[in-house]
Amino acid sequence: MSDAKLTHIDESGAANMVDVSGKTPTVRTAIATGKITMKRETLDLILSGSAAKGDVLATARIAGIMAAKRTHELIPLCHPLALSKVSIDIEPLDTEAGSEPGFKVTAMAKLTGQTGVEMEALTAASIACLTIYDMAKAADKGMIISDVRLMEKTGGKSGNWKSQ
């Protein structure tokens, strides 16, 4: 068991927003990923650009970026952040290599500030996957969103971290 303390809980056990005013601003980045799997026909429909609701992947990218910017409205006790960059990369999963048809979403959030951007990257990846689901659900209600996770973070007092 780690000696790490939960930073959003005070000595009496009450939830609170962490005071970051004394922290030195540093460049901070976070990368998160998520996966959405689907029928092969659904993947082909999305890749062809023929989905009834329009360009699924472009819309998912925009939704992920917008979500990162609004994370503080969705997750209690998150600080509103002045993000300097958010990017969303969506790549088809390689069905030739034996994986299920679908997409891998990679979200990157960056700023110079006093607190990290992990939640913004995770929110962006999640919402991009949810947007793909929403825009293609008429063709495939059985799509599965999975494996949303932090892959890497840099900056701040705790330094750099990378998933193994």
Side-chain angles (χ1 to χ4, degrees), residues 5 19 55 98 100 146:
K5 287 178 37 180
D19 181 0
D55 187 336
E100 295 181 84
S146 63

Side-chain angles (χ1 to χ4, degrees), residues 53-64 90 127-128 131-132 135:
K53 288 188 172 184
D55 187 336
V56 174
L57 301 182
T59 305
R61 280 186 200 93
I62 292 167
I90 304 172
I127 295 300
T131 300
I132 294 169
M135 292 190 71

Side-chain angles (χ1 to χ4, degrees), residues 5-162:
K5 287 178 37 180
L6 297 176
T7 58
H8 289 81
I9 307 294
D10 69 13
E11 300 78 30
S12 68
N16 68 78
M17 185 180 226
V18 174
D19 181 0
V20 297
S21 62
K23 290 184 173 185
T24 302
T26 62
V27 175
R28 297 162 184 260
T29 63
I31 299 171
T33 60
K35 181 169 81 169
I36 181 166
T37 56
M38 60 197 58
K39 296 178 192 170
R40 179 72 209 186
E41 300 80 21
T42 309
L43 176 65
D44 292 341
L45 177 72
I46 293 169
L47 290 174
S48 73
S50 303
K53 288 188 172 184
D55 187 336
V56 174
L57 301 182
T59 305
R61 280 186 200 93
I62 292 167
I65 293 166
M66 291 175 63
K69 293 166 55 173
R70 300 186 76 160
T71 299
H72 70 282
E73 296 176 17
L74 302 168
I75 308 293
L77 308 177
C78 274
H79 294 85
L81 301 179
L83 297 169
S84 56
K85 179 156 181 64
V86 177
S87 64
I88 308 291
D89 181 54
I90 304 172
E91 60 184 271
L93 294 173
D94 183 5
T95 57
E96 302 304 316
S99 66
E100 295 181 84
F103 295 95
K104 177 183 177 186
V105 173
T106 302
M108 187 279 297
K110 181 179 181 179
L111 61 60
T112 299
Q114 297 164 298
T115 190
V117 289
E118 296 92 338
M119 294 310 301
E120 287 69 17
L122 286 161
T123 300
S126 298
I127 295 300
C129 287
L130 284 167
T131 300
I132 294 169
Y133 184 96
D134 179 55
M135 292 190 71
K137 69 181 181 271
D140 185 358
K141 289 181 180 34
M143 290 178 281
I144 298 171
I145 296 170
S146 63
D147 301 329
V148 175
R149 60 185 287 203
L150 182 67
M151 299 305 294
E152 183 177 343
K153 65 80 84 189
T154 65
K157 181 178 160 187
S158 67
N160 301 343
W161 178 88
K162 192 169 193 165

